[in-house]
Amino acid sequence: MTAPSLSVAAHQPVFRPLAAWLTAELVTWIPAAWRRDGDPALLAVREDGRIRLLRRDGAPLDRAPRRGSRVVVRPGVKALHRRFALPVAAAGHLRPIIANQIDHRTPWPADQVWFGAAILGHNEDERLIDVRMTVTPRASVEAPLDAVRALNLRPTALEVEDGEGGWIALPLDEDDAPSAARRARRWLPALIPLALLAGLFAPPLLERAALTAALEESGRASAEVRRLATALEDSKAASAYAERRKTDTPSAAVVLEVLSRLLPDDVWLNEFHLDAGTVLLMGQAADANRLPALLSASSHFADVQFRSAVVREAAGGDRFQLSARVVPHAAP
């Protein structure tokens, strides 16, 4: 009598789903820094309170998504946009610096929002760059994020409208606390005996790994503090520079106000130019030769002189060109 043979192929349909499920579960526990997922392959769009899953290019899905797939979520909420200038040195530390600005530039604390940061280009001042901060409260998007997590998918970013027909990505934390908590509850019964077994056979390795991790975390925290301190000093320097520019640069409105009080009624100005702290006046006066003394007597002007000879007109009066260095003042 021939013994019955076992066919491996006959058992493949049973083991294949089990292996796929186990692989997907294990992938979700791999640290984010070790994974190389590439760009998210799915797009979750919130419409009429429901979540619709699409491919990243917006096309319909041709099959069910794999467990733990990465998803970009469009929650259908408005975001707050702020544009401002930062020192050029901030370009290398943009996200931590923007996070430090959230409390000052938005109605919410930094730990209650998701945010994105982008460099728009160089400012007119070559020492500064223009940046855009986009913020949305976490409470307003928690419902769509929970709906995506309930499908055993992993949200990695939000996309909100930029107000110009495009989309802005707001990265989510790599360690998603709600989904991590659910995974921990699901795997806890199996992890406890495994942890006990590892504790029995490899305590030196565990202690060394814990010490190494603690030292690395301490080093990262110290480096981050140094980076933020440097960025803060750069920001203070830029603010002080802008304030000095504002104080040292004469205002055309102030200069005109001073001239209106100093010049007699028989003086007419045809042209007024203010450039690099020097004012140029061209016009007519009954007696132009007295103008340098009038302007020099004011604390607002210095180095007053004619730019060309005074021309006496046949109809009476003088035509003149006069220049003076403006001494900046806060008010006339």
Side-chain angles (χ1 to χ4, degrees):
M1 182 176 179
T2 304
S5 61
L6 295 177
S7 173
V8 175
H11 292 273
Q12 284 182 351
V14 176
F15 291 106
R16 189 175 299 158
L18 179 60
W21 171 84
L22 183 59
T23 301
E25 287 293 336
L26 292 175
V27 165
T28 63
W29 281 89
I30 298 176
W34 297 359
R35 290 191 293 262
R36 296 293 182 266
D37 300 293
D39 291 334
L42 299 178
L43 178 66
V45 181
R46 187 187 191 189
E47 296 177 344
D48 300 325
R50 306 178 70 177
I51 294 294
R52 186 159 63 100
L53 288 177
L54 304 168
R55 288 194 335 203
R56 189 67 183 92
D57 58 6
L61 293 178
D62 53 4
R63 60 182 177 181
R66 188 174 58 185
R67 186 188 188 93
S69 296
R70 303 169 74 227
V71 184
V72 171
V73 181
R74 290 182 179 174
V77 299
K78 297 293 185 181
L80 177 66
H81 305 282
R82 289 282 186 267
R83 298 189 180 195
F84 49 91
L86 288 174
V88 172
H93 323 281
L94 192 58
R95 279 193 65 81
I97 293 176
I98 292 294
N100 190 49
Q101 295 286 320
I102 291 175
D103 290 347
H104 308 292
R105 299 181 182 271
T106 77
W108 309 285
D111 60 354
Q112 295 182 13
V113 300
W114 298 115
F115 74 95
I119 299 175
L120 302 179
H122 281 281
N123 189 272
E124 294 179 358
D125 185 342
E126 63 181 10
R127 301 183 184 184
L128 304 176
I129 54 174
D130 291 324
V131 300
R132 178 185 61 210
M133 174 177 68
T134 303
V135 174
T136 190
R138 295 194 181 198
S140 67
V141 298
E142 197 57 38
L145 289 179
D146 281 342
V148 170
R149 297 180 188 118
L151 299 174
N152 291 317
L153 303 175
R154 184 162 58 92
T156 58
L158 300 171
E159 278 191 348
V160 295
E161 295 185 45
D162 62 2
E164 300 176 355
W167 298 92
I168 297 176
L170 311 184
L172 302 180
D173 291 343
E174 289 291 347
D175 295 324
D176 186 11
S179 60
R182 279 192 290 271
R183 288 198 299 267
R185 288 194 297 269
R186 185 170 64 246
W187 282 84
L188 190 58
L191 289 177
I192 290 177
L194 289 177
L196 292 175
L197 187 62
L200 290 174
F201 286 96
L205 293 178
L206 292 176
E207 292 177 3
R208 180 176 180 180
L211 180 59
T212 301
L215 291 175
E216 290 177 353
E217 182 64 25
S218 177
R220 286 193 295 268
S222 299
E224 185 66 17
V225 169
R226 288 193 297 270
R227 285 196 298 269
L228 290 176
T230 300
L232 182 59
E233 289 301 320
D234 291 340
S235 179
K236 289 180 179 178
S239 298
Y241 171 76
E243 188 64 27
R244 288 196 302 272
R245 284 287 301 273
K246 180 180 178 181
T247 303
D248 296 343
T249 302
S251 166
V254 172
V255 174
L256 285 172
E257 174 65 19
V258 172
L259 289 173
S260 69
R261 291 192 290 103
L262 291 177
L263 296 178
D265 293 339
D266 58 4
V267 176
W268 296 270
L269 291 181
N270 298 326
E271 294 188 34
F272 169 87
H273 301 279
L274 180 61
D275 183 27
T278 299
V279 62
L280 175 63
L281 307 177
M282 290 184 284
Q284 296 172 310
D287 182 8
N289 291 318
R290 58 180 173 160
L291 297 181
L294 286 174
L295 296 184
S296 297
S298 170
S299 62
H300 289 268
F301 301 104
D303 302 332
V304 183
Q305 58 184 337
F306 286 113
R307 297 294 293 271
S308 62
V310 175
V311 178
R312 188 71 178 178
E313 297 185 337
D318 298 334
R319 188 168 67 250
F320 66 89
Q321 291 187 11
L322 188 70
S323 68
R325 179 170 56 84
V326 180
V327 180
H329 284 69

